[in-house]
Amino acid sequence: MKKTVLLAAFSLITAALFAYNPPLGGENLYKLSNPVMISGGDSASGGPLFNIIPASISYNPALTATEQRTVLNLSGDIMFNTSDFSSSLGWGAQAGVTIPTKWMVFSGTINGIFSGNTGLPIGNTIIVHAGIAKEFLDNIYIGLNLYGGSYFSHGSDWSIGCDFGLLYKGEKSLGFLRDPRIGISVLNIGRSAGSEYEVIGIDGTTEGTVYPGILTPRISLGATVLQTWGWKAGLSMDASFPACQNAVFDVAFAVSYNNLLEFNLGWQANVRELAEGAKVNWPSVGISCKIMLSSNKKNDTWQQSELVPSVAWQNMYGEVQNISAGATLYLGQEDNEAPEIYLWDEDIFGNN
């Protein structure tokens, strides 16, 4: 009996592994509706300059462990096909929140994509992620997500599972790489949609279109490469392996001035898509700025907050244009001061 069960389980896993045929854009469901994610934030190490928003947990649930402030994020996008303007518009929306507590950091995000007849055959999806993150050891952080999704418009299907992630933030430079970060995550551990959802896969058929790729390992390196005269530049590089049957490489570069204005570039190479004849995606372009918000209330915990609006654009597969805009609100200020220690009735200067 045990041998029969094990053989059946092995057969199911083997069948899933050899049926990898996601639609174009199917591995990017979690980033299409957010400008930060489009332009390089879809990284397991937090992107070039470590700009973390609630949606970051979709690529590594450990990323929010360093956040000290409550964070709110709202974004959306429109998609259209330049070769056929008569086709219906596609669109998407995303909302998320990060809440730090004494014990751990809680995050949640909801993401909806409605691709229409734009040329991205990913249908309509609504996916929810909920995650927790915590510092595990000095400079080492861990995180866990649970997620569930609904897929409709080409039949109906659903997904459910979990993600696991680790993040290491180094204190010593590695050559020209300052403040290096290493992110490792395993995503989509569970049931992906597609078995009852007929979309066109990368090979032109509807067979094996399970997506995003079940059991996707991801590894990333991010670091600052330049910091001088108010300018700061960063770089991140990611490699992921959807369903252990594909290789997807992401690279992103960002430049900021005085931490107020930031310009981002991101690019992705999906090996299986390119092998099937898909056109190369153009680099994504994004820009954001920081607006300081002050409260008139003294001793208010949120006396000064930050609002960061951002926009991004990318040409996908030569014909699909994706334009996204959104804003992130960081409530309060980060505590970057070392704690003051008092011994008995001494003040910080050692006077009695």
Side-chain angles (χ1 to χ4, degrees):
M1 182 65 182
K2 290 183 179 180
K3 291 183 178 180
T4 303
V5 173
L6 290 174
L7 181 61
F10 179 76
S11 299
L12 287 173
I13 293 172
T14 303
L17 287 176
F18 283 94
Y20 181 78
N21 184 34
L24 290 177
E27 300 296 355
N28 293 323
L29 278 181
Y30 305 145
K31 76 175 188 178
L32 293 175
S33 59
N34 191 288
V36 177
M37 296 291 102
I38 290 175
S39 56
D42 56 330
S43 169
S45 62
L49 295 177
F50 201 66
N51 292 326
I52 305 304
I53 62 174
S56 300
I57 66 174
S58 301
Y59 292 89
N60 186 346
L63 290 174
T64 55
T66 62
E67 186 57 64
Q68 301 177 13
R69 300 170 291 181
T70 296
V71 182
L72 305 174
N73 176 258
L74 182 65
S75 64
D77 75 307
I78 58 171
M79 296 174 283
F80 58 92
N81 194 310
T82 52
S83 68
D84 184 9
F85 285 101
S86 64
S87 63
S88 62
L89 288 175
W91 63 281
Q94 188 170 55
V97 60
T98 294
I99 303 174
T101 70
K102 181 179 179 181
W103 300 277
M104 60 186 65
V105 179
F106 296 89
S107 297
T109 180
I110 180 170
N111 175 50
I113 293 291
F114 308 90
S115 63
N117 296 320
T118 58
L120 283 183
I122 53 179
N124 299 335
T125 67
I126 298 177
I127 302 173
V128 177
H129 283 78
I132 56 174
K134 182 178 179 60
E135 184 174 11
F136 180 62
L137 296 171
D138 288 344
N139 300 320
I140 298 178
Y141 308 86
I142 59 174
L144 175 70
N145 287 340
L146 297 177
Y147 68 85
S150 176
Y151 295 61
F152 48 97
S153 82
H154 298 283
S156 62
D157 209 340
W158 52 275
S159 64
I160 190 169
C162 64
D163 310 313
F164 176 75
L166 289 167
L167 174 68
Y168 169 74
K169 297 186 71 176
E171 296 181 344
K172 295 182 179 180
S173 298
L174 297 174
F176 67 95
L177 301 177
R178 305 179 184 179
D179 304 318
R181 294 167 272 112
I182 298 174
I184 300 174
S185 58
V186 182
L187 309 176
N188 307 323
I189 309 170
R191 183 189 190 277
S192 294
S195 60
E196 301 177 14
Y197 194 62
E198 290 192 355
V199 295
I200 303 299
I202 55 177
D203 69 357
T205 73
T206 60
E207 296 182 3
T209 55
V210 175
Y211 67 102
I214 187 172
L215 193 62
T216 297
R218 191 178 190 100
I219 185 168
S220 175
L221 171 65
T224 300
V225 296
L226 175 68
Q227 189 166 3
T228 182
W229 297 101
W231 292 93
K232 186 177 182 180
L235 177 72
S236 67
M237 298 174 289
D238 284 56
S240 60
F241 307 94
C244 299
Q245 294 190 82
N246 190 5
V248 181
F249 301 100
D250 292 85
V251 61
F253 178 77
V255 177
S256 73
Y257 180 68
N258 283 339
N259 290 323
L260 295 176
L261 184 65
E262 185 173 319
F263 178 77
N264 298 268
L265 290 171
W267 186 71
Q268 181 184 91
N270 185 311
V271 173
R272 287 291 295 270
E273 289 183 351
L274 295 174
E276 294 290 345
K279 293 182 180 179
V280 177
N281 287 333
W282 289 23
S284 59
V285 179
I287 188 170
S288 63
C289 63
K290 184 182 296 183
I291 302 171
M292 306 305 296
L293 304 177
S294 299
S295 170
N296 294 325
K297 297 180 180 180
K298 294 183 178 180
N299 300 321
D300 188 349
T301 303
W302 294 344
Q303 187 173 357
Q304 190 171 60
S305 300
E306 300 172 0
L307 178 66
V308 185
S310 54
V311 295
W313 162 84
Q314 185 178 24
N315 177 307
M316 303 174 65
Y317 309 110
E319 298 175 344
V320 181
Q321 310 296 324
N322 187 21
I323 302 171
S324 180
T328 306
L329 179 62
Y330 298 86
L331 295 171
Q333 291 181 289
E334 290 184 300
D335 183 8
N336 295 317
E337 297 181 1
E340 297 178 348
I341 300 175
Y342 293 83
L343 299 177
W344 296 282
D345 58 347
E346 293 181 346
D347 61 21
I348 59 174
F349 299 104
N351 299 320
N352 293 324

